[in-house]
Structure formats: C-alpha cells, structure tokens
Amino acid sequence: MPELPEVETVVRDLRPVVTGRTITAMRRSRQQLRRPWQAAWTAAVVGSQINGLRRRGKWILLDLGKPNHPPEQAPTPSPLLRVHLGMTGQLTVVPAGEAEPEHLHLVFALENGTELRFRDPRRFGSAEYFPDRAAVEAAMARELGPEPFALDPEAFRSAVGATTRCLKAVLLDQQIVAGVGNIYADEILFRAGLDPRRPGSSLSAGECDRLRTTIAAVLERAIAARGSTIRDYLGGSGLRGQFQMELAVYGRTGQPCRVCGTAIVCQRLAGRSSHYCPACQPARPGRRGQPLRRQAT
DNA sequence: CTGTAATCCTGCGAGC
DNA sequence: TGCTCGCAGGATTACA
C-alpha cells in the first residue's frame, strides 16, 4: 500500500530516467481508473516533454511542457500529469519491448525506446491531466496539509490540540500532515509511545512534539529502506521495499511486542485496522509498563 | 464537529 | 480439494 515512503521511492527511481524525455505515443486499457481518463487528454499529452517529477503527499506530479518551449516562454499555462497509486498502483519505466503484465492501464511511449507504465490490479489509483499546473497546485495547497519534514512545531501543536478525534484519525488526516497512511500511522504511534485511541486534545505539548519528530523519523527511516512491500508494492525500478522487516506493530496482531513482549492488539479505529502495544502505548500518560490485557475485537 | 459506513476493485486467506 | 466470504484500504461522499 503505497504511502509517502513508497511514493517517494518511486519518484526517486523514476526521476533520472524520465526527466527530459518526450512522450511520443500513449495508449490505455479500456478499463477506467478511480478517476476517468478524458479522451482529450491523450492528444494533449502526446508530444509533451517531461520536465520534472515530484511528490506531494502521496501524489506523483509530472511537469509537462512542449519541447523547445521553456515553461517561462510557453504561450499557455504549463500542464501537469497527476498520478495516485491508490492501493496497488505501480509506476515503472521499462524497455518498450518488455512483455506486458496484467492490469496494465496506461502506457506512455518515450522517445528513447522506453515506456512509462501504470499498472494497478485493484484500480484504486488514478491519473489525471491538468492544463494549468498553477491551478492544481493552488487546489492541493488548500486540500493537503504540510509535508511531514517541514512541520511547524507550533502549528502542529495547535492542529492536534484542536481536535477530539483519536490520534489514529489525526495521522490519517491529510490536512494535518500529508502522506501518512495506515501502516506508518501505526508505526509512528508505537515509536512515539502514544495510544492511538487518545484524543488529539489530550496530548501535552511535549507529547505533541514527540509525535511530530517521530513522524519525520519513521518516514525518513522507511524511505531509506525503500518503503514497505506487504504484498504488491514495487519501486520505480521494480525493486521491493525492505521496511516491512522493521515493522513493530502493523500486521503483528497477537505477536509479542518487540520491546516488552506484550501481545500486539488490533482494533478498528477511524475505520481502519489499528495495531498497538497496550503496554508501550499506555492509554493514559504515566502508566508505562502496565499491561492492560485488552482483547482484540 | 465527529464518527460511521458505503463506494470504487481484485486477490488472497480463512473457514467450511 | 474447492467453494464462499470477508477483508485489505485512499479518497470521497453521504448520512447519523
């Protein structure tokens, strides 16, 4: 399930092999993705040059432009291709002759004989074309919170303290911090020693700061490991991630906590399966080390 | 405001 | 061993 570390890995893998390339042709499967591909987009994309590849939250942004027309001299606004990997999306660059896998939905032929391919078995992902990059970025600035590595301490304390929603819901809220999904939310809360059920407003300033620095630390560590491959995820170069080996709580229901040996609990929070150690993540501050013997439901 | 649940979708594992 | 069923969840939307 691609979250920020997985998306960042894809972007880092692909950036050197797609930047400066020109899209010479495009084809797609008959099946629609999460958001429909408009017929007019294909004509707009073909002939474009990929000027850059970026990540914002869990979104992948491809800056497009016309060859020999630098963005600042372009007569029209600079276009953008925006991709979301959803649950099972894979974005890779391969030689054009390579055998086509199942569930291949978008293929962009590049002028150097390679192809940028979007594969997504579950079709939770999306790809959209926007003629005006600035408009999309303005919309994303409104809808998405800050990147986790640039969190303002005071603004973060204020956002977390202002809500009674549980910490799990807070971390999944892309408006509070962009890029965290279910796996890393659980891992972050474990490493911060915070119970995922606690309301945001119950955190002390110190706990809030600890949560903020742990978000960045866990995501950085996961990026260094090229993300987590639970089942489907592949990086842009087709490699699996390695962070799944380091997961402390996610997917470890009933297994002993790696720190204290207490059985990891799984409970549904914010509509998602949430894993935590009842001893290392005490329900109330200052009760560290007291096993709660809570049963999974 | 907050939570819950349905929606999209396929693959897989548990259970019978 | 083969079937059904439930679950996995990111973003969005509807509703209690």
Side-chain angles (χ1 to χ4, degrees), chain A residues 204-222:
Chain A
S204 68
E207 287 173 324
C208 225
D209 290 345
R210 192 167 82 229
L211 177 59
R212 175 177 50 80
T213 55
T214 305
I215 290 170
V218 168
L219 295 178
E220 274 168 12
R221 178 72 203 103

Side-chain angles (χ1 to χ4, degrees), chain A residues 155-168:
Chain A
F156 186 71
R157 280 197 295 264
S158 158
V160 174
T163 183
T164 59
R165 292 147 75 205
C166 68
L167 293 179
K168 178 61 180 277

Side-chain angles (χ1 to χ4, degrees), chain A residues 30 70 84 95 106 111 162 263 297:
Chain A
R30 297 194 84 158
H84 198 293
L106 290 172
E111 99 289 346
T297 48

Side-chain angles (χ1 to χ4, degrees), chain A residues 29-42:
Chain A
S29 70
R30 297 194 84 158
Q31 292 177 302
Q32 291 285 0
L33 297 170
R34 187 81 180 86
R35 298 170 190 235
W37 181 271
Q38 315 281 343
W41 292 354
T42 301

Side-chain angles (χ1 to χ4, degrees), chain A residues 139-277:
Chain A
M140 291 186 86
R142 279 195 309 273
E143 294 157 13
L144 271 189
E147 288 291 316
F149 309 113
L151 290 175
D152 177 68
E154 203 163 320
F156 186 71
R157 280 197 295 264
S158 158
V160 174
T163 183
T164 59
R165 292 147 75 205
C166 68
L167 293 179
K168 178 61 180 277
V170 168
L171 285 185
L172 291 177
D173 185 343
Q174 302 297 299
Q175 301 215 52
I176 292 179
V177 53
V180 177
N182 202 41
I183 297 172
Y184 294 107
D186 285 0
E187 295 300 311
I188 288 163
L189 289 169
F190 172 79
R191 278 162 225 242
L194 295 168
D195 188 309
R197 298 165 299 177
R198 283 182 61 188
S201 55
S202 75
L203 263 60
S204 68
E207 287 173 324
C208 225
D209 290 345
R210 192 167 82 229
L211 177 59
R212 175 177 50 80
T213 55
T214 305
I215 290 170
V218 168
L219 295 178
E220 274 168 12
R221 178 72 203 103
I223 291 170
R226 298 183 50 84
S228 304
T229 296
I230 304 293
R231 184 174 297 169
D232 306 285
Y233 167 74
L234 294 177
S237 50
L239 290 174
R240 294 164 57 84
Q242 293 300 318
F243 194 74
Q244 68 278 6
M245 314 299 295
E246 300 182 35
L247 296 179
V249 289
Y250 183 83
R252 298 195 66 243
T253 309
Q255 296 178 45
C257 170
R258 297 201 158 123
V259 172
C260 74
T262 304
I264 299 301
V265 164
C266 180
Q267 183 183 342
R268 210 150 181 93
L269 286 173
R272 298 285 172 259
S273 64
S274 305
H275 312 74
Y276 62 96
C277 171

Side-chain angles (χ1 to χ4, degrees), chain A residues 80-94:
Chain A
L80 182 83
L81 204 56
R82 184 175 76 167
V83 175
H84 198 293
L85 299 179
M87 292 286 298
T88 53
Q90 298 169 352
L91 198 63
T92 54
V93 170
V94 297

